[in-house]
Amino acid sequence: MEIKFELGEMSNHPHIPVYVNGEGPFIFTLDTGAVTSTISKSVATKLGIETYQGEKKEARGLGGPVPIEFAKVREISIGSESLEDEELAVLDFDAIFGPDLPFTDGLIGHSFLKHYKMTINYDTSIFSLERVNDNVSQSSDGIKWTDFTYYNAPHLVNVPTMINGEGPFPLVIDTGSGGTVLTPELAEKLNLQPDESGPLIKVVSSNEEAEGCVGECRGIGGAVPGYPARVDRLEVGGVSQENFTAAIIDFSSISPDGEMDHHGIIGYPFLKDFELVIDYPNTRFAFLPK
């Protein structure tokens, strides 16, 4: 199954048409960094879907936690593929982002994607899903695969990445990130200096202002301080990108206890240059040259 997607004008997130209980299409963000597929509170209300409190009271993302509810839907569909009797997270995106930063109607995350081999090509704007068996030995499909791991997080696609010839370091493939991001600890280890020639954008955290974030350092919990740094070379899955700017951001708002299992995020600026394939059942991925 393959469908066309559009890029968010401000976010560069892939936006895909999704049907919920046969209604739609609604526009959801494809977010490989999200653990659970999510529906907005406004759409749940519109469809008469009852929400309820679960054991998890907060959703964590860049910027801090936000309140979360849950809902059971009869069916959620993308193209010809669908899941039945699926539990979705429910977030009030209108309250989180406000009228000046409108968000989509939901997120497609790991809880949906884990059943498929997914492919996304930013040049052709084609997104595809294919049911596969969890048996790597069956076929390589002519693709040079690289294994990925989940580490402590049960949903994040951590991939071995070389940066400026050092590593490998585990970075997360995240279609829900508008930038490529590294932690301050890794930036210090690699001696990456702030790039004063790059774009300087003022962002505001809960208690301070900071200059130097690339793009918008913003997540569901708000904006966070960061700064740009120049990277000579990033290599992953047999492909590479050279001489680009990464955002250096503290992820402590996502993992306040410090249980980070990765050193950063591979986002849109890298993903746009390749065709990405993630075979979730077989925990392997590939970047295909265009």
Side-chain angles (χ1 to χ4, degrees):
M1 182 282 299
E2 65 179 34
I3 59 171
K4 280 277 193 178
F5 69 87
E6 296 184 356
L7 281 182
E9 184 176 347
M10 295 173 55
S11 66
N12 287 320
H13 296 161
H15 291 173
I16 58 177
V18 175
Y19 289 80
V20 179
N21 292 347
E23 301 287 338
F26 300 101
I27 302 303
F28 278 46
T29 297
L30 176 67
D31 188 355
T32 58
V35 60
T36 305
S37 294
T38 303
I39 190 172
S40 70
K41 180 74 170 178
S42 59
V43 172
T45 300
K46 177 180 179 179
L47 297 180
I49 299 172
E50 183 179 352
T51 63
Y52 52 86
Q53 295 291 330
E55 292 185 9
K56 187 176 180 181
K57 306 300 182 184
E58 295 178 330
R60 286 201 167 270
L62 190 64
V66 295
I68 189 173
E69 295 181 295
F70 295 89
K72 217 39 154 343
V73 298
R74 296 191 309 275
E75 183 181 55
I76 179 169
S77 304
I78 303 173
S80 60
E81 297 297 324
S82 63
L83 298 179
E84 297 179 353
D85 196 28
E86 189 78 357
E87 184 178 64
L88 304 181
V90 181
L91 292 178
D92 190 344
F93 292 127
D94 294 337
I96 292 170
F97 294 105
D100 296 331
L101 288 171
F103 200 68
T104 54
D105 298 316
L107 302 170
I108 293 296
H110 181 260
S111 60
F112 193 105
L113 299 172
K114 67 183 179 182
H115 304 286
Y116 297 94
K117 179 176 76 176
M118 61 151 273
T119 303
I120 182 167
N121 187 310
Y122 288 83
D123 268 0
T124 62
S125 299
I126 294 293
F127 169 69
S128 70
L129 293 173
E130 178 186 350
R131 288 271 188 177
V132 294
N133 296 322
D134 55 348
N135 185 351
V136 173
S137 64
Q138 283 190 349
S139 172
S140 67
D141 302 323
I143 295 174
K144 185 178 179 181
W145 294 102
T146 302
D147 293 335
F148 72 80
T149 55
Y150 286 122
Y151 291 117
N152 296 325
H155 68 288
L156 296 178
V157 177
N158 283 279
V159 298
T161 307
M162 301 292 294
I163 301 175
N164 291 353
E166 296 191 43
F169 305 104
L171 268 63
V172 170
I173 294 176
D174 189 356
T175 59
S177 176
T180 294
V181 183
L182 303 177
T183 64
E185 294 78 12
L186 183 56
E188 182 178 3
K189 180 181 179 68
L190 296 173
N191 195 30
L192 299 179
Q193 301 300 314
D195 182 9
E196 296 180 358
S197 66
L200 296 179
I201 297 176
K202 183 173 290 187
V203 294
V204 181
S205 71
S206 59
N207 56 11
E208 65 178 325
E209 287 191 354
E211 289 188 349
C213 187
V214 178
E216 287 197 75
C217 301
R218 178 173 292 274
I220 62 172
V224 297
Y227 66 88
R230 206 68 184 168
V231 176
D232 293 332
R233 184 178 177 87
L234 185 150
E235 302 171 74
V236 59
V239 299
S240 64
Q241 187 177 71
E242 297 183 355
N243 194 27
F244 67 93
T245 301
I248 311 302
I249 300 175
D250 186 355
F251 289 98
S252 60
S253 62
I254 302 176
S255 182
D257 298 328
E259 296 178 357
M260 294 296 297
D261 50 19
H262 63 87
H263 288 80
I265 292 170
I266 298 172
Y268 170 76
F270 187 94
L271 301 178
K272 66 179 175 55
D273 290 340
F274 306 96
E275 183 173 72
L276 167 64
V277 188
I278 302 177
D279 182 349
Y280 281 93
N282 293 303
T283 58
R284 56 185 185 172
F285 75 99
F287 283 111
L288 308 180
K290 294 179 180 178

